[in-house]
Amino acid sequence: MTSSAVSPPVSANRTAESHDGKRPLLSLRGVTKRFPLVLANDHIDLDIYAGEIHALLGENGAGKSTLMKILYGFYRADAGSLALEGRPVQIHSPADARKLGLGMLFQDFSLIPALSVAENIALFLQDVGPVVDLRQVERRIEAFAARYRLQVRANVKVSELSLGEQQKVEILKLLLSGARILILDEPTRVLAPHEVTALLEVLVGLRSDGYAIILITHKIKEVLACADRITILRGGRVAGAMLRAEADEKKLIACMFGREMPDVTRRPRSVTAETPHPVLELRAVSTRAEGAATSLKEINLAIYPGEIVGVAGISGNGQRELGDLVLGMISCAQGEKFLFGKPAGRLSIRQARREGVAFIPENPLAMASVPFMTVLENIALTRPWRYARRGGLTLDWAAIRRDALAGLEKMAYQLPLYAPARTLSGGNLQRMVIVRELGLGPRLILASYVTRGLDVQSAVAAQQALLDARGAGAGVLLISEDLEELFALSDRLIVLYEGRIVGTFRPEETDAYQVGYLMTGAGGAHDSRR
Amino acid sequence: MTLLAILGIISSAIYSGTSLLYATLGEVVGERAGIVNLGLEGVMLVSAAVGVAVTSRTGNPYLGILAALLAGVLMNLLFGYLVITRKANQLASGLATMFLGFGVSALIGKDVVGVRIAALPRLLLPGLEGLPRVYSSLFRFDILVFLAVPVAILVWWLLFRTRWGLGVRAVGENADIAYASGRNPLWLRYQALLVAGLLSGLAAAHLTIAYTMTWTEYMTGGRGFIAVALVIFSKWHPLRAIAGALIFSAAVALQLALQAAGVQVSPFLLDTLPYVLTILALIAWGGTRRHSAPASLGRVYLGTE
C-alpha cells in the first residue's frame, strides 16, 4: 500500500476550495420523494461545501433521513438532480455513492458483531486485493485512528465494543474507504455526554482536514456547537437555511416546529373524581436499557382517572420504554410501579391487561398484530379470558364479533373482519388496534402515536375515542410527536429527554416553543427538572 | 482389543469420514452465507447416482467424479433459485430438494443398481512402505481421502483470508450491510451455493466411486443430515469440521467393530451410538449457538426498495 492511501485525502479539496471559496462540493436540486402515505421530500435544495460541517436539523419525520438515504443510493428520488463538484451525477446504489466519495454513518450501526474491527472495515475497502491482509488493514486503521483520536483495538470482535467505540469504528470505516463527504445520521443519539464532546472534537478535526460533513440531528446544542451551515427541514420541505453566524436557538426552534402555535379549543375535564387513586403511579423508576434503547431515569409520574397526560419528546428519548414499562414488558431496575393503587412491579402483561390496561404501541404491524391472522382473530388476541369457553377449549366467536362490531360502530370505522391483518393499510391496521384496545372501556390507556398514518377523519375519531375514554374515567398516557395533538388533548404535558422527565406543564401555561426547547435538550436536561 | 482392530477402526473412520467431511464443508460454506440446505441428502444422492452412472458407462472414475461435481452444482443451483431468486422458505425448499433428490437419484441409478464400477486407485500413505501387508492394507487410500484435509484448509482460507470469504461471511451475518458495502448479496449466495455444490459432489463421489463402488437407492443413509448437524458441532468452522467428521465416523466404526466382536449389547442400542454422540454434542454447543451461528442464517434477503 502506498503512503498516500494512508493519509487523508486533503489536498484535492483544498485546491478546489482555494480556487473558489464558495463552490459547493455537492449540490442537490429539487429532490423529491413520495412514499405511499407521505411526501417525504418536497423539492429540497442543499449545498454541501468541503471543510464545513453542515447541520441538517428537523423533527422526526421531517424528511432528513429520507433525503440522506436518497443521497446514499438506498432510495431513488422521484425527481431532482445531484451534482458533485459541478458535474451532474447519478446515484443508484450505495456502491455508486461510495465511488463518488460519500460515506454514511447510520443511526443503527452497520457493523457485523461477529466480525473483528479490521474485518468490518476491510469489508468496505475498495482497494483490498482478493486475498485480505488484515495486518495491513490494521496498520491503516492505526494511522487514521492516531490522527483523529479514534483509537480502537483493531483485532477484537465488534461485539466486544461499547456503542461509543463502535461509532469510532464506523467513522474509521468511512475515512479508510476514501469518503470525502461524511453523512452522520444522528450520531450522538447513542452516546454518553462525554462521548458526545469527543465526537464533536473528532468532527472539528475532520473539518480542518477538508472533509465535508453532513450532521443530521435534532439537537440544537450540538448544531450550535459545531456547525458552519444549517438547513432546517420541516414536513419534507426546507424550512430554513442559514450560516452559523446568523443562527440562534430561538430562530432554529421556530424554524423546526413552525411559528404557528397550536390553536385548539380545549375541553374542560369531564371527570373530577373525589379522592381519586392514580390509575398509574411511577415512583422514582429507572430502567436498564440494552443496546440502542434508552434507559428511563428516575421517572415520577401519576395519572389520575379522567385525565390525559401527554408525553412530548423526539422519538428515541424513552417514550417506547415508558409504554413498555407500564405494560410490564420491561421491569423497573429501581423504583416502584403501581397500577390502580396496587404495587404492580411483578404483574404480568396478562394480569395488567386483565386489570384494564390498554396498549396502542408505536408500531402496530410489528407490535400489535399478527400479520397472517384475520382482523377478528387479532381483535380476540389480547382478551382470551373474555372469549374462552369450556375452559379454553373453544372461543366464542360470536362474542368476539359482537365486540368488534360494537367497537367499529363506536369509532365509525369500517374494517373487513375476515381479511388477514397484513393486507390492511397502515391506517386500517391502526384502526383495528384502536378498536381492540379502546372498544371495551379500559381504565388505563397507553397510546403511542395513535394518529400516525391516519387520515384526518380517522385521526379525529381516534382522538375522540381517547377523549370519550377519559370522559368515562380512564387515565390516558398519550405519547405523540405531534405537538398540536398533545396540546389539544392533554390535561398535563410532560417532556421526555434522554429518558428523563425534563418538564411538566399544563398545556395552557406553556407553548410549543418552551416544549420544543426542552425536547431538543436545548435547556440542559438536568437544570430544568421540576 | 488388538492393535489391528484399533487400526482398523481408524482406517474405517478415515474412509467413511471423508465423504462426511466434504459434505460438512459444503454445508459450512452455504450456511456461512446464510443458507441452510436441508436438501443436502438429496443433493448427495443425485451426485452419487450420476457419478456411478457415468463411471459405469465410461469406465473412467475421474469422469464420474466430474459428473458428480456437476450434478451437485446443478442441484444446489436449483435449490438456490428457490431460496435466493424466488425467496422461498429455506427449510421447506430444502426438504423439497431432498425428496426431489430421492426420486431423481433412484431414476438415474435404476440401471446401475448393484453394478460394480471402476474404483479410484488406492495409494499407500507415504512412509508406510515397510509395514507388513496386514497393516499397510489399512492405510491405502484414494486421492479424495488425501485431499480431504487440504480441501478443509482451503475452505478455511477462502472463508477467512480472502475478500470473497469476507463477503460471504458478511452476507450470512447481515445481508443489508453486505449490500451497503457494495456487494450483491444474491450473487454472493449463489456463489457460496456453487462452492457448496462442488463439495457435496465430492462427498458423493468419494462415497460411491471410492468407497462403496456401487449404487443402491438411498445409499447416503442420512449422511447429508449428519453433515448438517456436524456443521453446528463444528461451530461453522471448516477446521473443526475435520474433528467432527472423524469423531462421528469413528463412533460408527467402533460400533461396527463392537458388533463384529460380539459384544453383549443390543446391536440396536449400539446403532444409536453415533447419533447419541451427535445429540450430546448438540446439547453441549446448544447454549453457545447464538454466538457462533451466522446471524441471518435461514433468513430470506428481500433487498432494499
Side-chain angles (χ1 to χ4, degrees):
Chain A
M1 193 46 51
T2 59
S3 61
S4 71
V6 178
S7 63
V10 182
S11 47
N13 299 338
R14 283 260 165 92
T15 22
E17 209 183 341
S18 62
H19 200 63
D20 171 7
K22 285 301 161 198
R23 198 174 107 170
L25 182 56
L26 178 75
S27 35
L28 283 71
R29 286 291 172 270
V31 171
T32 301
K33 176 76 185 173
R34 179 181 290 281
F35 288 117
L37 279 173
V38 61
L39 185 60
N41 285 162
D42 188 2
H43 293 91
I44 291 187
D45 296 344
L46 195 66
D47 285 320
I48 305 297
Y49 295 86
E52 282 193 8
I53 298 177
H54 192 130
L56 204 56
L57 190 67
E59 279 190 283
N60 291 106
K64 307 175 303 241
S65 291
T66 304
L67 183 65
M68 290 304 113
K69 280 183 174 164
I70 290 170
L71 196 50
Y72 198 61
F74 268 114
Y75 297 147
R76 202 76 69 84
D78 299 332
S81 64
L82 252 69
L84 187 74
E85 291 172 322
R87 287 189 313 274
V89 289
Q90 301 260 321
I91 299 179
H92 297 310
S93 69
D96 288 352
R98 268 198 323 283
K99 269 183 219 132
L100 295 172
L102 276 90
M104 181 143 174
L105 180 74
F106 293 93
Q107 219 169 10
D108 304 308
F109 295 146
S110 55
L111 293 174
I112 297 177
L115 301 187
S116 76
V117 169
E119 283 177 326
N120 266 288
I121 288 175
L123 192 62
F124 281 77
L125 293 182
Q126 301 301 305
D127 55 356
V128 291
V131 179
V132 182
D133 181 352
L134 284 177
R135 283 282 151 70
Q136 188 242 345
V137 173
E138 284 169 19
R139 279 196 298 275
R140 287 168 69 184
I141 292 171
E142 278 154 23
F144 271 89
R147 189 179 175 104
Y148 297 111
R149 290 203 255 168
L150 288 163
Q151 276 86 354
V152 285
R153 292 161 293 159
N155 57 355
V156 302
K157 283 190 178 180
V158 164
S159 57
E160 293 171 30
L161 300 182
S162 73
L163 287 171
E165 287 175 306
Q166 290 185 29
Q167 189 172 58
K168 288 182 183 176
V169 177
E170 286 281 12
I171 295 174
L172 284 167
K173 193 164 93 179
L174 300 183
L175 300 181
L176 262 82
S177 61
R180 290 182 298 153
I181 302 167
L182 307 179
I183 306 169
L184 311 181
D185 191 358
E186 300 196 15
T188 59
R189 195 177 62 127
V190 296
L191 298 184
H194 68 276
E195 289 175 320
V196 172
T197 318
L199 173 70
L200 296 185
E201 279 168 18
V202 168
L203 295 188
V204 168
L206 289 168
R207 167 174 64 187
S208 62
D209 269 355
Y211 286 97
I213 295 165
I214 305 176
L215 178 67
I216 302 174
T217 186
H218 44 66
K219 291 182 183 163
I220 286 168
K221 255 196 299 189
E222 289 161 11
V223 170
L224 292 174
C226 72
D228 300 295
R229 224 173 264 271
I230 304 162
T231 297
I232 302 104
L233 295 188
R234 190 173 75 235
R237 291 212 181 98
V238 175
M242 56 194 88
L243 292 171
R244 167 65 184 90
E246 304 159 9
D248 60 39
E249 213 167 73
K250 201 171 164 124
K251 212 164 156 183
L252 293 178
I253 290 174
C255 245
M256 256 176 101
F257 295 98
R259 280 165 209 290
E260 68 282 5
M261 289 298 146
D263 183 24
V264 184
T265 44
R266 300 193 62 271
R267 302 141 191 262
R269 271 175 71 175
S270 45
V271 169
T272 43
E274 307 87 40
T275 68
H277 276 298
V279 287
L280 167 71
E281 190 177 4
L282 299 174
R283 290 189 198 152
V285 171
S286 300
T287 64
R288 254 190 295 276
E290 273 177 30
T294 309
S295 43
L296 296 171
K297 296 167 196 101
E298 292 183 38
I299 299 286
N300 283 299
L301 178 66
I303 299 178
Y304 290 90
E307 143 175 273
I308 296 179
V309 175
V311 181
I314 287 166
S315 74
N317 276 291
Q319 292 93 322
R320 199 186 68 219
E321 290 77 7
L322 185 60
D324 287 354
L325 170 74
V326 175
L327 189 67
M329 287 176 49
I330 53 177
S331 53
C332 314
Q334 274 153 31
E336 289 172 291
K337 177 175 93 175
F338 296 87
L339 283 176
F340 313 113
K342 287 176 285 192
R346 282 198 195 76
L347 216 59
S348 71
I349 297 173
R350 184 190 168 93
Q351 287 165 322
R353 280 190 169 279
R354 232 179 151 154
E355 291 283 326
V357 178
F359 185 46
I360 301 171
E362 198 172 290
N363 177 353
L365 189 61
M367 292 278 304
S369 62
V370 182
F372 286 88
M373 286 174 26
T374 65
V375 169
L376 204 60
E377 286 168 329
N378 269 292
I379 286 179
L381 210 53
T382 56
R383 287 187 292 262
W385 54 85
R386 185 176 166 90
Y387 305 120
R389 301 287 180 269
R390 294 187 205 141
L393 288 176
T394 61
L395 281 174
D396 186 348
W397 289 102
I400 299 168
R401 211 180 133 82
R402 259 196 317 279
D403 281 354
L405 290 175
L408 285 171
E409 197 187 1
K410 193 162 136 192
M411 315 297 170
Y413 290 164
Q414 294 202 328
L415 284 178
L417 287 182
Y418 296 98
R422 77 192 148 85
T423 62
L424 300 186
S425 69
N428 271 340
L429 202 62
Q430 185 69 298
R431 289 186 188 91
M432 178 189 89
V433 176
I434 290 169
V435 165
R436 177 177 75 197
E437 300 294 329
L438 303 188
L440 280 178
R443 295 157 71 198
L444 171 62
I445 300 164
L446 312 170
S448 303
Y449 312 105
V450 188
T451 54
R452 190 193 265 172
L454 293 184
D455 57 76
V456 176
Q457 266 186 321
S458 305
V460 168
Q463 291 174 343
Q464 191 57 51
L466 286 178
L467 288 171
D468 290 349
R470 180 186 79 155
V476 181
L477 186 69
L478 175 68
I479 296 169
S480 178
E481 56 195 356
D482 180 350
L483 282 183
E484 216 166 308
E485 174 174 283
L486 287 174
F487 273 86
L489 296 181
S490 306
D491 298 297
R492 269 189 303 148
L493 202 54
I494 63 173
V495 183
L496 272 186
Y497 180 71
E498 292 183 345
R500 286 179 195 279
I501 296 181
V502 293
T504 306
F505 306 99
R506 300 210 156 274
E508 56 273 21
E509 292 164 358
T510 183
D511 55 33
Y513 174 78
Q514 191 179 14
V515 171
Y517 187 83
L518 290 171
M519 278 166 68
T520 55
H526 42 286
D527 298 334
S528 51
R529 285 201 62 221
R530 51 190 82 186
Chain B
M1 206 179 277
T2 65
L3 178 64
L4 192 62
I6 292 170
L7 289 178
I9 290 172
I10 293 174
S11 167
S12 156
I14 291 173
Y15 248 111
S16 68
T18 297
S19 66
L20 211 46
L21 177 55
Y22 283 125
T24 307
L25 291 173
E27 188 72 14
V28 164
V29 173
E31 293 198 14
R32 279 285 181 174
I35 294 181
V36 182
N37 187 356
L38 285 187
L40 181 56
E41 182 86 4
V43 175
M44 283 173 70
L45 275 172
V46 172
S47 276
V50 168
V52 171
V54 169
T55 309
S56 96
R57 194 70 51 87
T58 63
N60 184 338
Y62 299 101
L63 279 181
I65 293 175
L66 269 182
L69 292 183
L70 191 66
V73 167
L74 285 178
M75 283 296 284
N76 256 18
L77 291 185
L78 171 70
F79 171 71
Y81 176 73
L82 294 177
V83 300
I84 300 169
T85 303
R86 302 302 310 158
K87 307 187 191 311
N89 178 291
Q90 291 184 8
L91 303 186
S93 306
L95 291 177
T97 305
M98 178 188 75
F99 286 115
L100 177 76
F102 283 2
V104 169
S105 63
L107 188 69
I108 294 171
K110 73 178 190 317
D111 294 333
V112 286
V113 174
V115 174
R116 198 167 170 86
I117 55 169
L120 281 178
R122 299 187 175 189
L123 313 162
L124 186 63
L125 201 61
L128 296 182
E129 292 83 359
L131 281 179
R133 234 192 102 72
V134 263
Y135 292 103
S136 71
S137 68
L138 290 174
F139 292 96
R140 300 175 68 88
F141 298 120
D142 60 86
I143 181 83
L144 291 180
V145 174
F146 290 118
L147 281 179
V149 169
V151 165
I153 293 169
L154 177 71
V155 168
W156 169 83
W157 181 81
L158 275 176
L159 281 177
F160 291 94
R161 286 291 178 269
T162 68
R163 188 178 157 77
W164 179 79
L166 186 60
V168 166
R169 286 186 293 141
V171 166
E173 294 289 338
N174 187 326
D176 287 323
I177 294 177
Y179 177 66
S181 80
R183 287 166 172 81
N184 181 338
L186 306 181
W187 181 220
L188 266 174
R189 286 189 159 172
Y190 267 117
Q191 291 170 354
L193 277 188
L194 187 138
V195 172
L198 287 175
L199 290 162
S200 315
L202 274 181
H206 174 77
L207 187 66
T208 49
I209 300 170
Y211 193 40
T212 64
M213 292 167 279
T214 174
W215 163 258
T216 46
E217 274 183 36
Y218 312 134
M219 63 174 298
T220 48
R223 276 159 185 271
F225 283 104
I226 293 298
V228 173
L230 283 178
V231 171
I232 302 167
F233 174 85
S234 57
K235 296 189 184 178
W236 293 266
H237 198 287
L239 300 184
R240 269 189 229 118
I242 301 173
L246 272 180
I247 291 170
F248 180 85
S249 54
V252 174
L254 176 69
Q255 167 257 121
L256 288 174
L258 287 176
Q259 282 186 34
V263 175
Q264 291 303 310
V265 183
S266 158
F268 299 110
L269 194 61
L270 278 178
D271 274 345
T272 64
L273 180 64
Y275 306 99
V276 169
L277 279 181
T278 306
I279 288 171
L280 286 178
L282 291 179
I283 291 171
W285 298 143
T288 59
R289 182 180 163 151
R290 196 160 55 90
H291 303 294
S292 44
S296 60
L297 187 62
R299 271 195 222 149
V300 171
Y301 175 65
L302 295 170
T304 54
E305 188 211 24

